[in-house]
Amino acid sequence: QVQLVESGGGLVQAGGSLRLSCSASGSIFSINAMGWYRQAPEKQRELVATITRGGSTNYADSVKGRFTISRDNAKNTVYLQMNSLRPEDTAVYYCNADALIRGGVLSIWGQGTQVTVSS
């Protein structure tokens, strides 16, 4: 069974920081792109940041300069360092990975971790 497990969410005051982690486990040959998405109440899920296996990154305009995505390929883990958090960053954050498994490429989603930023 292939799965992603997230950790690091919580409650923080505006201006504070949090670091999210997401690790993949199971019968995985390798992982291509990994990313973080978020979904606020009554809103659609949106991209936060992505990173390729080679380390190229892409960010939503709303988080540029405040969030940093990174990964450890040896550990099949992706991180999201979130600084200068704002109340509008409050959402459930989901990890995503494109994993190469027996039979092809599988897009995997984590269960989500809640991030709440108080004003």
Side-chain angles (χ1 to χ4, degrees), residues 24-113:
S25 62
S27 299
I28 299 171
F29 294 140
S30 66
I31 297 179
N32 299 327
M34 302 185 81
W36 290 95
Y37 294 74
R38 66 187 181 186
Q39 187 167 16
E42 301 182 355
K43 291 189 176 181
Q44 290 189 334
R45 189 173 297 188
E46 63 177 4
L47 180 147
V48 176
T50 61
I51 184 167
T52 67
R53 185 171 182 81
S56 296
T57 58
N58 180 54
Y59 295 92
D61 288 343
S62 60
V63 306
K64 283 181 180 176
R66 300 187 298 123
F67 292 9
T68 302
I69 189 170
S70 61
R71 64 188 286 173
D72 184 333
N73 291 332
K75 296 181 179 179
N76 285 338
T77 299
V78 63
Y79 306 96
L80 185 68
Q81 177 66 43
M82 305 185 293
N83 299 329
S84 302
L85 282 161
R86 304 167 180 169
E88 53 264 39
D89 294 318
T90 295
V92 177
Y93 283 70
Y94 297 91
C95 174
N96 174 259
D98 290 335
L100 179 62
I101 63 171
R102 184 185 301 274
V105 177
L106 181 66
S107 182
I108 315 167
W109 289 91
Q111 80 285 357
T113 185

